[in-house]
Amino acid sequence: MTRPLRRQGRAQPAHDAAIRTLESLIAASAHGDEEAFGQLYDLTAARVYGLVLRIIRDRGHAAEVTQEVYLEVWRQAARYNPSKSTALPWLLMITHRRAVDRVRTAQAGSDRDLRYAEKNVERAYDNTSETVERSLDAQRVRQALGQLTPVQREAITLAYFGGYSQTEIAGLVKAPVGTVKTRIRDALIRLRDALGVNS
Amino acid sequence: MNTSDTHALTGVYVTDALDFDERRASDEHLRACPECRTEIEGFRATTAVLAEVSAAEPPATLRRAVLDSVDRGRQTPPIHDAKRSRSSRQLPTKFWQGLAAACVVIALAATLFGYSQHLHGDSVADPGVAAVLREPDVMATSGDLSTGQATVLYSARGQVGVLLGRSIPSAAAGKTYQLWVMHADPTPSTSMGLFHPDALGTVLVTFSGDLVPGDRLGVSVEPASGSSAPSNVLAVLPVRS
């Protein structure tokens, strides 16, 4: 079961003297602390694997890419700079890029058609999806997605959860690339404000 | 890049919706644009929250596989700030791109190690090698190493590389091979670790690091515990043009 990270953090046993933040777990991993790395995995694997799976849509390949992501995190841990980014955005940036690279190189293109794309758009804010944990955060995200205009929602979903390039999206939604760019940015601004993310 | 383009860029940048060439151009722009970088940070934090809706339980076996692979994986040392600013996101001037390059690289790897599976096959013998091969900008350089041959594959984009060697003799008793990234003067060489060929003379070392144009990969012979600077250099291979 996936729970929001904050609650998992609090659920640490009381004898675990200090509750370790993701940032401190990455710092410890940079020194070769495999136990800290294991904890980092436990706290983040559902989000990493889930995002990869959403983009790649094949469980075997998603597991493989997830493994690559953590290997990269392990290797690059010393270069993670907590003053520049909190841990989860950093980790998911690596995750997203790896998944997108895989799906584009593999050109799973054959079935990356509009019909699938539309299904993917629906799924992003569909409460009945079986793989989605109904956490408060997830509900909040769905509400925020629901506040976007349909074309904004379509653009951000195709880009972030579909892994499509702006050129592919322009083709799918039959709009100029410049329009797609603007829609994605506008969507992110509205989501950022709706979710109260501090930048 | 005019202002409206610039602003629109941040969204497609964060969602990895740019094509590779566009991404390179954007990196260049972002280095010079603090407003865009701030917006991008906010967008990254936003997408990290978005990812909550796609969370899914990974297969139970994955944890073991991940921890096993890091157990073997080398870690990248932190980089000094001076070097970071010098090297951050420097762009290569030349790329091996497209199918032809990919085929060359795959054929090379196949020759050296009998990889029979296709690049996107279901099983991959070594996740480190597979990760390098999957990068679109992977470059290959070959050269002699002692009495054998060595090939370096490196991706500037993924900042990962692999040294492949065959027919490499064992280092003399009490000695070891050591891999280096050799920078342009006056930056001292960075050790990428020690390695030993297997009984058949095969070498496979993965490494990661942000190599900049002009950096070369060097192999030296050192006392068994390794050295802090290369002493007896056997081979130097250009990695970035």
Side-chain angles (χ1 to χ4, degrees):
Chain A
M1 292 310 256
T2 316
R3 285 174 303 254
L5 295 168
R6 267 169 278 120
R7 256 167 278 158
Q8 279 195 344
R10 283 196 209 110
Q12 293 284 331
H15 63 260
D16 198 355
I19 290 171
R20 306 185 74 178
T21 62
L22 295 181
E23 288 77 14
S24 72
L25 290 172
I26 293 174
S29 301
H31 294 104
D33 183 341
E34 290 183 28
E35 202 189 311
F37 191 71
Q39 281 184 45
L40 178 71
Y41 176 89
D42 293 337
L43 291 169
T44 56
R47 292 203 199 199
V48 169
Y49 172 78
L51 181 58
V52 174
L53 180 62
R54 176 65 69 92
I55 294 167
I56 293 185
R57 309 198 313 280
D58 174 285
R59 288 178 186 279
H61 287 165
E64 200 178 291
V65 171
T66 302
Q67 191 174 345
E68 287 172 18
V69 167
Y70 280 103
L71 190 57
E72 183 174 342
V73 167
W74 172 256
R75 287 186 171 150
Q76 301 290 337
R79 299 199 176 177
Y80 164 67
N81 180 353
S83 68
K84 279 172 73 179
S85 164
T86 48
L88 199 60
W90 179 74
L91 181 60
L92 291 173
M93 169 186 77
I94 294 173
T95 303
H96 194 267
R97 195 181 292 184
R98 284 247 168 215
V100 164
D101 282 351
R102 171 68 78 97
V103 92
R104 298 227 183 113
T105 0
Q107 275 313 326
S110 49
D111 62 346
R112 283 163 64 74
D113 61 8
L114 186 57
R115 210 165 33 135
Y116 168 73
E118 281 170 347
K119 217 172 98 200
N120 202 338
V121 170
E122 285 162 22
R123 256 175 47 191
Y125 60 104
D126 172 8
N127 278 301
T128 63
S129 174
E130 73 287 356
T131 56
V132 168
E133 163 70 17
R134 276 157 227 184
S135 69
L136 284 174
D137 278 354
Q139 284 177 25
R140 238 158 43 90
V141 170
R142 273 189 220 93
Q143 277 170 10
L145 283 166
Q147 289 165 20
L148 301 177
T149 69
V151 291
Q152 286 171 349
R153 190 161 52 230
E154 179 181 58
I156 186 65
T157 311
L158 288 173
Y160 193 67
F161 293 115
Y164 293 88
S165 74
Q166 57 180 5
T167 317
E168 289 173 318
I169 297 171
L172 288 169
V173 307
K174 299 186 173 49
V177 170
T179 306
V180 170
K181 269 190 182 146
T182 310
R183 285 177 187 168
I184 292 174
R185 176 172 178 262
D186 289 348
L188 282 168
I189 290 172
R190 286 177 80 158
L191 289 169
R192 182 189 66 198
D193 296 346
L195 294 167
V197 175
N198 298 316
S199 59
Chain B
M1 214 174 284
N2 70 38
T3 312
S4 62
D5 277 350
T6 302
H7 283 314
L9 174 77
T10 52
V12 282
Y13 187 86
V14 166
T15 53
D16 298 311
L18 290 164
D19 294 317
F20 188 44
D21 288 345
E22 299 165 326
R23 183 165 196 102
R24 289 168 55 205
S26 308
D27 281 334
E28 216 158 338
H29 167 75
L30 293 176
R31 267 201 301 275
C33 180
E35 293 83 9
C36 287
R37 289 204 301 271
T38 303
E39 185 162 273
I40 281 172
E41 276 167 39
F43 286 174
R44 283 212 199 290
T46 305
T47 53
V49 181
L50 277 192
E52 177 67 16
V53 298
S54 55
E57 204 56 35
T61 51
L62 188 57
R63 188 182 199 275
R64 185 74 265 154
V66 163
L67 292 179
D68 281 351
S69 69
V70 306
D71 199 30
R72 295 191 310 267
R74 251 183 14 80
Q75 289 185 291
T76 308
I79 41 180
H80 304 300
D81 281 350
K83 191 184 164 229
R84 183 189 289 273
S85 60
R86 178 175 69 93
S87 65
S88 64
R89 292 260 150 230
Q90 285 254 358
L91 299 170
T93 51
K94 201 173 175 185
F95 288 87
W96 284 32
Q97 269 187 295
L99 189 62
C103 286
V104 168
V105 170
I106 294 162
L108 201 60
T111 313
L112 285 167
F113 293 101
Y115 279 11
S116 55
Q117 64 270 61
H118 187 264
L119 179 55
H120 304 295
D122 283 338
S123 62
V124 176
D126 183 292
V129 174
V132 178
L133 289 177
R134 230 173 259 123
E135 295 288 349
D137 66 336
V138 66
M139 298 177 49
T141 320
S142 296
D144 290 339
L145 176 56
S146 185
T147 54
Q149 288 86 45
T151 296
V152 177
L153 309 175
Y154 180 72
S155 159
R157 183 188 196 193
Q159 299 183 7
V160 287
V162 57
L163 171 75
L164 310 168
R166 63 172 171 182
S167 309
I168 311 293
S170 297
K175 300 281 186 181
T176 182
Y177 290 106
Q178 190 162 0
L179 184 65
W180 304 90
V181 174
M182 301 176 143
H183 312 288
D185 287 338
T187 316
S189 299
T190 311
S191 174
M192 291 283 133
L194 312 177
F195 68 88
H196 300 277
D198 69 9
L200 299 170
T202 303
V203 170
L204 194 165
V205 189
T206 53
F207 60 95
S208 54
D210 188 5
L211 275 58
V212 300
D215 282 352
R216 293 157 305 152
L217 209 68
V219 174
S220 69
V221 173
E222 306 293 345
S225 57
S227 303
S228 57
S231 38
N232 179 18
V233 176
L234 289 185
V236 176
L237 294 165
V239 190
R240 300 269 323 251
S241 49

